[in-house]
Amino acid sequence: MSNVSASFPWYYRPLSWLLMGLASLPLAVLYVIADGIYLLLAYGLRYRWKVITENLGKAFPKKSAAEVERLGKDFYRHFSQVVVEILKLQTISAEELRRRARFQNPEVMENAFQQGRTVLSLGSHAGNWEWILSSAATYFPGKSHGVYKPLSNKFFEYFMRRLRTRLGAELVPMRDTLRDMIRQRGQTRTLALLTDQAAGPEDQPYWTDFLHQDTGFYTGADRLAARFQCPVLYVGIRRVRRGYYDIILTELYDGVSPIGADEHFITEAFARQLERDIQAAPAEYLWSHRRWKHKR
């Protein structure tokens, strides 16, 4: 685990103790708490309900209002479980996480590692996205790095960094991605990016039809793969049952073939894979963020 120092105001100490106490509870107990969170979200707070139902209505235009309402509540149930599962990363053992979040085809990553390659792993806010990096750190020790956006709140930045690196993963601030790639050129590792956030005009996004919407995607993976000749994998995750996930790797680019004229074919392939996964399990995507807030 990378060095994570605790430099936050003293008045966050009680919250830190509370969260650590909760994380020490068995997952079976935490899922009871998750059921309570679900009821509070679905029938009390209605957290970001308008954003959720608008997103679902746009993504699934053939569904009725009642079906969208049901999907929204299914999302709340999924989200509540993911919240406690993420918290459990503070105490879960590497053995238990490997049992609960299993790479179905780790050889896809291992084949690239055998060639001494840096691999770009593209993920999204689907399933339990936070378990993927920590699980990868148990499958591929010393080789799992994740790009992340630092939080402005000092306590939550400390808490989430410790949570994410506890089982051996390393973190790279988003603004340092290119510098990190140059510094570690030729290292055998995977650099994971969540590339489904809503890219704004200043990001010069790649626009494509995604879930029936004109959608802008970040193009960092295209540029990094072209510059460093990195293999690129799509990382899909699906819930098998409560508390258990399958992680599936799909090669998008082998790191050898010429990029050609279609400079954004990696991002396009990522969008198509993600679209299929969302359509297969619509409640397991993070619908509470404004995915289509930017226009071309």
Side-chain angles (χ1 to χ4, degrees):
M1 182 179 74
S2 59
N3 183 33
V4 181
S5 60
S7 57
F8 53 84
W10 63 269
Y11 47 80
Y12 280 103
R13 289 291 178 187
L15 178 59
S16 177
W17 298 331
L18 172 62
L19 293 176
M20 286 302 298
L22 290 172
S24 300
L25 296 173
L27 265 173
V29 177
L30 288 175
Y31 283 130
V32 174
I33 296 174
D35 290 339
I37 295 173
Y38 160 70
L39 293 173
L40 182 62
L41 292 178
Y43 300 100
L45 297 178
R46 307 275 283 186
Y47 167 70
R48 306 206 77 180
W49 182 249
K50 184 178 179 181
V51 172
I52 293 166
T53 52
E54 284 183 354
N55 282 340
L56 286 167
K58 290 177 179 178
F60 301 98
K62 294 184 179 180
K63 291 190 179 297
S64 67
E67 290 173 316
V68 168
E69 174 107 1
R70 185 165 56 252
L71 265 182
K73 289 183 178 179
D74 288 345
F75 162 73
Y76 276 152
R77 190 180 299 279
H78 162 75
F79 180 72
S80 300
Q81 293 177 22
V82 168
V83 166
V84 300
E85 289 169 356
I86 292 173
L87 180 62
K88 189 61 181 176
L89 281 176
Q90 287 287 355
T91 59
I92 197 169
S93 68
E95 293 74 19
E96 183 176 5
L97 184 62
R98 277 176 62 96
R99 184 168 56 86
R100 288 179 172 274
R102 302 183 62 178
F103 280 82
Q104 295 303 297
N105 53 346
E107 66 277 3
V108 175
M109 187 81 74
E110 291 164 348
N111 290 341
F113 287 164
Q114 289 171 4
Q115 302 170 34
R117 312 293 297 276
T118 292
V119 181
L120 296 181
S121 297
L122 308 186
S124 69
H125 291 86
N128 186 334
W129 59 93
E130 291 287 355
W131 273 18
I132 296 175
L133 183 65
S134 292
S135 184
T138 71
Y139 273 81
F140 316 110
K143 299 176 182 178
S144 298
H145 296 193
V147 175
Y148 85 113
K149 185 177 181 179
L151 302 173
S152 57
N153 182 288
K154 290 185 177 180
F155 168 71
F156 286 107
E157 167 66 7
Y158 157 75
F159 187 82
M160 291 303 296
R161 276 188 61 87
R162 186 176 68 172
L163 177 151
R164 287 165 169 161
T165 61
R166 182 181 151 267
L167 293 178
E170 298 289 337
L171 294 180
V172 178
M174 186 183 299
R175 63 179 178 274
D176 296 336
T177 304
L178 179 59
R179 187 181 302 115
D180 180 78
M181 287 288 290
I182 294 172
R183 184 174 65 248
Q184 302 209 48
R185 183 193 291 265
Q187 294 297 310
T188 303
R189 62 168 183 154
T190 181
L191 185 65
L193 303 91
L194 292 178
T195 55
D196 63 324
Q197 297 97 327
E202 69 280 2
D203 302 306
Q204 298 181 323
Y206 166 70
W207 292 90
T208 187
D209 183 80
F210 175 74
L211 294 172
H212 308 286
Q213 305 299 310
D214 199 23
T215 306
F217 283 87
Y218 285 102
T219 59
D222 293 306
R223 296 192 299 272
L224 292 174
R227 178 165 179 172
F228 297 97
Q229 290 296 287
C230 295
V232 182
L233 303 180
Y234 171 82
V235 184
I237 182 169
R238 62 189 179 204
R239 178 185 282 119
V240 179
R241 62 185 189 276
R242 189 164 73 171
Y244 292 86
Y245 296 88
D246 283 345
I247 303 171
I248 303 97
L249 305 175
T250 304
E251 185 179 85
L252 303 182
Y253 174 56
D254 60 11
V256 177
S257 304
I259 294 292
D262 188 0
E263 60 179 332
H264 298 306
F265 80 93
I266 293 172
T267 299
E268 175 65 25
F270 168 81
R272 301 285 71 83
Q273 288 282 350
L274 176 58
E275 187 174 55
R276 283 192 287 270
D277 282 356
I278 292 173
Q279 290 169 341
E284 296 179 19
Y285 189 60
L286 187 63
W287 296 108
S288 54
H289 68 306
R290 293 180 58 208
R291 187 64 188 87
W292 295 291
K293 61 183 177 181
H294 300 299
K295 302 299 180 185
R296 188 190 293 259

